[in-house]
Amino acid sequence: MNGSDQEFRRLVHSLFGFFSRHQTIREGHAAVIGLAGIEYTTLISIRHLAALGDVHVRAVADHLYLSGAFVTAVTNKLMAKGLIEKASHPVDRRRLSLTVTARGAELLERLAPTQTMVNDVQFDCLSAKEFHQLLDMAQRLVDSSDRAIALQRYLADVNVTPLRDKSSAKPTVPRKR
């Protein structure tokens, strides 16, 4: 890179391009079953997490890297649409367990063949080994990004002089002596 950030910018902009296209795909999947993109993502996440055990808002929030309050709002919408149910946890009454209803499962099953074909095309440029390497790298990038955000916030707090827009600064007029 020889002191240039050209390759870094190329990576960042390629990631923007990928994520923009992936969001378009996600929204397309969601539209097929009458949902918003985040509703679809939350619904399918609840179903996948259920294979691992009890699903609750915090588990979904952690899985999707979202706030618990946001996931609560989305799950309330899914519940109103009859796609998930919330029930008191058998041990911790403060916690609500989330389950996909038969209607929610039916929508996801109806979407599955299309979803599989589209996802296969999106990732067909990667071998299985490369896919797993990308998965590992993406997870490490999430962790390092959390640290970078914390550092950025710390530095913003300790900097006493904020950056100013030079175009809004008043021009100085030389004084005659």
Side-chain angles (χ1 to χ4, degrees):
M1 296 199 322
N2 300 331
S4 166
D5 71 345
Q6 187 173 13
E7 288 294 307
F8 174 77
R9 292 285 153 219
R10 186 170 152 227
L11 170 66
V12 169
H13 296 150
S14 293
L15 288 172
F16 283 151
F18 169 75
F19 292 127
S20 173
R21 284 158 178 79
H22 188 75
Q23 183 164 341
T24 299
I25 289 169
R26 178 184 81 158
E27 289 168 358
H29 288 329
V32 168
I33 58 174
L35 297 177
I38 191 60
E39 292 171 337
Y40 156 74
T41 299
T42 303
L43 180 64
I44 201 164
S45 294
I46 292 168
R47 187 178 76 174
H48 285 290
L49 290 170
L52 304 174
D54 182 52
V55 182
H56 51 281
V57 168
R58 173 66 15 222
V60 176
D62 290 347
H63 178 72
L64 296 176
Y65 303 100
L66 297 170
S67 74
F70 184 77
V71 171
T72 296
V74 175
T75 56
N76 285 342
K77 289 179 183 179
L78 291 172
M79 193 170 73
K81 293 178 180 188
L83 302 178
I84 67 166
E85 292 176 339
K86 294 182 180 185
S88 293
H89 189 271
V91 176
D92 184 352
R93 296 282 178 204
R94 297 169 296 166
R95 178 183 286 182
L96 294 174
S97 294
L98 307 173
T99 55
V100 175
T101 64
R103 169 124 175 85
E106 185 266 324
L107 287 177
L108 292 174
E109 290 306 315
R110 192 174 50 160
L111 175 63
T114 300
Q115 177 190 25
T116 299
M117 286 188 288
V118 171
N119 291 348
D120 286 351
V121 168
Q122 186 181 26
F123 289 94
D124 72 357
C125 63
L126 301 176
S127 68
K129 180 181 178 183
E130 289 170 325
F131 178 84
H132 289 288
Q133 289 172 331
L134 178 61
L135 173 60
D136 177 63
M137 286 186 269
Q139 289 175 332
R140 287 186 287 141
L141 283 168
V142 168
D143 293 341
S144 64
S145 295
D146 285 342
R147 292 192 313 274
I149 290 167
L151 175 61
Q152 184 182 53
R153 288 178 179 156
Y154 169 77
L155 293 173
D157 288 343
V158 297
N159 284 335
V160 286
T161 309
L163 297 174
R164 288 192 337 203
D165 180 7
K166 293 183 182 197
S167 65
S168 65
K170 294 181 182 179
T172 55
V173 178
R175 293 184 184 179
K176 292 183 181 178
R177 292 188 189 218

